[in-house]
Amino acid sequence: MHIETLQMFCNVARRQSFSRGALESNVTQSAASQAIRLLEEYLGVRLFDRSKRPLGLTPEGERFYRACRELLEGFDRARAELSRHQRRIAGTIRVAAIYSVGLHAMGARMQNFRMVHPEARVRLECLHPEEGVQAVLDDSVDVGVLSYPPANRALTVVPLQHEPMLLVCPPGHPLARRPRARLAELAGEPYVHFDGDLAVRKAVDRAFRQAGVRPQVVMEFDNVESIKQAVSTGTGVSILPEPARQKELALGTLVALPIEGEPIVRPIALIYRRGKPLNPTIERFIELLRGGEELPAAPAAPPPGMAG
């Protein structure tokens, strides 16, 4: 029995899927299934109820999962302590980020980190905000980067920056000729909004209520990229974080205007599980993210269904 087998078992249990757990463990699904089967034979119990969809743990599997988590956390603490004495920057950091941050900032920072620390690797996964928080709590990632970090006693929150929110519209829109915009000018204006369950949506709605403004919401999306696409085709206007629209400004497909009055900002923070042992590599990566240097916008656009 190897530590990698126990980690694979935890990955499959957490993901409730042999295929997703195998992918996280960097092995094939057949290899993961065989390893779990051998583990069950070794222990003499069934760990998974394979009749359930999604895959579920048996009562024995639940107890073994809790024991494995404690064992792996102890192993991580011991490894972090050894690394701290050696101060070696190496190994893989697992990062979950919301899509707008992952696409528009993390790529450049990961490249910078690799250039300075060639023995280190950063594995980035873009997730919906709630999924990112859960991944941190489940320890399937080391750190998460998201907007509007939740108040959770199980998390340590490291503020990174505040992104200004600007009004965006297509170049031919009447507001595009203004040096700045007022929220009052959006009353009844076709508006492309974030989905109602996202914190950024709640923040923008709060600003609208304070200004006594009710725009005409014509579309809702859970990600910045889809909103930008809708705005650029003339569907409506929107309010988006400043770094997320740099590419479109350069191409001339969008115009961005500062908003008069109290600024609307989107806080970006890093989170990790409280009490998690941080090795020197993770600590150095957090220091890099806290540097706050300006980074270029990434040219890629995500597939549908990505939250930001």
Side-chain angles (χ1 to χ4, degrees):
M1 188 184 301
H2 302 284
I3 197 79
E4 291 83 1
T5 303
L6 301 183
Q7 183 65 68
M8 184 191 306
F9 162 73
C10 289
N11 291 343
V12 172
R14 185 175 57 253
R15 297 289 189 174
Q16 296 182 291
S17 165
F18 278 107
S19 60
R20 291 194 295 269
L23 182 63
E24 185 173 338
S25 305
N26 295 314
V27 300
T28 64
Q29 180 176 345
S30 60
S33 298
Q34 182 179 6
I36 298 300
R37 192 178 302 110
L38 291 174
L39 181 60
E40 289 177 322
E41 291 177 1
Y42 176 80
L43 296 172
V45 296
R46 300 279 289 184
L47 297 173
F48 290 100
D49 183 350
R50 292 164 174 79
S51 66
K52 290 184 177 179
R53 291 293 181 274
L55 187 68
L57 288 167
T58 64
E60 294 80 8
E62 290 279 3
R63 289 193 290 271
F64 189 66
Y65 176 73
R66 289 193 296 270
C68 285
R69 282 290 303 272
E70 292 178 4
L71 189 153
L72 291 170
E73 288 174 3
F75 178 76
D76 285 343
R77 283 193 295 271
R79 185 168 55 181
E81 186 63 26
L82 291 174
S83 298
R84 188 169 290 108
H85 283 294
Q86 296 174 342
R87 301 306 301 177
R88 183 185 176 195
I89 309 300
T92 300
I93 307 169
R94 304 164 300 165
V95 180
I98 58 174
Y99 291 95
S100 56
V101 173
L103 291 170
H104 297 284
M106 295 301 296
R109 294 189 178 184
M110 289 164 60
Q111 291 175 11
N112 292 344
F113 190 71
R114 285 286 307 277
M115 289 176 62
V116 178
H117 304 291
E119 292 186 83
R121 298 289 183 274
V122 182
R123 190 179 73 191
L124 174 65
E125 184 176 6
C126 291
L127 297 173
H128 185 282
E130 292 182 0
E131 293 175 341
V133 171
Q134 192 59 49
V136 170
L137 293 174
D138 288 343
D139 204 35
S140 58
V141 298
D142 297 306
V143 299
V145 184
L146 72 168
S147 59
Y148 303 94
N152 189 322
R153 293 182 179 179
L155 296 173
T156 296
V157 177
V158 180
L160 297 179
Q161 61 192 40
H162 285 79
E163 298 177 340
M165 304 278 285
L166 304 178
L167 177 73
V168 294
C169 60
H173 194 279
L175 289 173
R177 297 187 292 271
R178 307 280 186 86
R180 58 185 60 248
R182 293 181 295 112
L183 288 180
E185 296 175 295
L186 303 185
E189 184 76 22
Y191 190 87
V192 185
H193 219 332
F194 287 97
D195 279 350
D197 62 338
L198 295 178
V200 64
R201 163 70 178 261
K202 295 178 173 63
V204 175
D205 281 348
R206 190 160 49 247
F208 280 140
R209 286 195 301 271
Q210 292 172 352
V213 174
R214 179 175 294 179
Q216 178 189 352
V217 178
V218 293
M219 280 188 174
E220 298 179 356
F221 294 100
D222 68 353
N223 68 93
V224 169
E225 300 300 321
S226 294
I227 293 177
K228 290 191 297 184
Q229 180 65 29
V231 172
S232 66
T233 58
T235 303
V237 301
S238 190
I239 295 175
L240 297 177
E242 191 274 338
R245 81 300 174 273
Q246 292 177 357
K247 179 187 68 174
E248 287 72 19
L249 290 183
L251 294 174
T253 58
L254 288 179
V255 174
L257 293 81
I259 301 171
E260 289 184 359
E262 184 177 351
I264 308 173
V265 297
R266 182 175 78 155
I268 302 295
L270 178 143
I271 61 173
Y272 60 88
R273 188 165 50 81
R274 188 178 298 277
K276 177 181 177 63
L278 301 181
N279 60 45
T281 307
I282 299 175
E283 290 176 344
R284 180 67 190 92
F285 186 70
I286 293 175
E287 290 173 8
L288 173 68
L289 293 185
R290 294 186 68 180
E293 64 269 28
E294 290 295 324
L295 295 168
M306 294 185 170

